[in-house]
Amino acid sequence: MSGATLAAGPRIPKHIDETHGEKYDRRAGDTAGLGGIMGSLRVIELQLVAFIIVFSASGLVPLLDLAFPVFLSIYAFLLSALVFPNYGNAESLQVFKGNRLFQLYVVFGTVIGLFLPLAYVLGGFARNDQDSVRAATPHLFLLSFQVLSENLISGLNIFSVPVRALLPILYSMRRLFSLNGWVISTWFTNKVGQDIRIQDEYWVYFGRALSAANAIYYTINLFCFLIPMFLPRAFETYFNDRAQYQAEHPKQEKSSMSSMLPSKLPVPSLLKKPHSEEGKKSEEDKKSS
């Protein structure tokens, strides 16, 4: 969800001779530990689809946030088809290797970005706190779409590394606006009264801490991980793969065009006649002289 799924590389097949169209069961490199925290990808994807449908039908997500994933999906396909075609294999799509610190970073983002906001929204429904639910739902909706997109892209292996890097960056930039609205709602709109119950006071503080933690985490993730680290390495890997592909498959347009042209162009007969007539006149002049 923080782009770490795509940065760690795709799931690679069980056997080397399997094609990329078949099923994948583990990730490249030493990132297999990430699968334990995320569980079964199929179950997670079905749950995310259910969350997206519920959030879309609830009317709590703004129209711009509903249209953004559709626009971004179309944009990613256009980039992959027209600008950044995929030249690399599954191993080249692995930008970072998942060490222990990297796994803890992913786990922390999963907990504060997905699980706790989901509990916060469900608790808001149970407490009939419409303001808290309306403030947290856009972030949770966009993050669910982002996780679903990252899992599908990582499994299908059809997008190049630059598209994989740009996708979480664009999602994160959009979600920062949603997180800004959540922070404003919890810290400035929902104020703690004098005669408030202790449970309600704890609920307000929980919302404030959660919104601030998400805003800080995803701001750092965008400006300290995705843009300065993931994006440059993704483009470097892509250009190396493209150079290697062009070296192995050189363009033969010039040779094919030269083979189509004849070696000697025939001289038109109309151009030969004047020269032959001039030759006959010169011979007649010599004889007369």
Side-chain angles (χ1 to χ4, degrees), residues 142-155:
L142 291 173
L143 187 60
S144 300
F145 237 115
Q146 180 180 346
V147 175
L148 180 63
S149 301
E150 290 184 6
N151 288 340
L152 291 177
I153 287 176
S154 182

Side-chain angles (χ1 to χ4, degrees), residues 150-213:
E150 290 184 6
N151 288 340
L152 291 177
I153 287 176
S154 182
L156 294 176
N157 192 18
I158 59 176
F159 291 107
S160 60
V161 182
V163 180
R164 291 166 174 262
L166 291 173
L167 188 71
I169 289 175
L170 295 177
Y171 266 114
S172 298
M173 292 178 65
R174 178 57 199 165
R175 280 192 298 104
L176 286 182
F177 291 97
S178 301
L179 289 172
N180 183 43
W182 188 10
V183 170
I184 292 176
S185 176
T186 54
W187 284 84
F188 301 102
T189 303
N190 296 336
K191 297 182 179 180
V192 180
Q194 296 292 335
D195 55 348
I196 190 173
R197 297 184 302 173
I198 189 65
Q199 296 87 351
D200 296 334
E201 185 177 358
Y202 286 159
W203 175 255
V204 173
Y205 288 140
F206 173 65
R208 290 180 177 181
L210 187 60
S211 62

Side-chain angles (χ1 to χ4, degrees), residues 188-266:
F188 301 102
T189 303
N190 296 336
K191 297 182 179 180
V192 180
Q194 296 292 335
D195 55 348
I196 190 173
R197 297 184 302 173
I198 189 65
Q199 296 87 351
D200 296 334
E201 185 177 358
Y202 286 159
W203 175 255
V204 173
Y205 288 140
F206 173 65
R208 290 180 177 181
L210 187 60
S211 62
N214 275 274
I216 294 172
Y217 176 85
Y218 286 106
T219 301
I220 295 175
N221 179 72
L222 176 62
F223 292 103
C224 298
F225 172 67
L226 292 177
I227 295 179
M229 298 179 63
F230 185 24
L231 188 62
R233 293 191 186 185
F235 276 100
E236 181 181 0
T237 303
Y238 176 77
F239 288 131
N240 291 334
D241 291 338
R242 190 179 69 174
Q244 183 179 0
Y245 179 84
Q246 292 177 352
E248 295 176 354
H249 305 82
K251 295 182 179 179
Q252 301 178 354
E253 296 179 357
K254 294 183 179 180
S255 60
S256 61
M257 291 296 294
S258 61
S259 62
M260 293 174 62
L261 294 175
S263 58
K264 294 183 179 179
L265 293 175

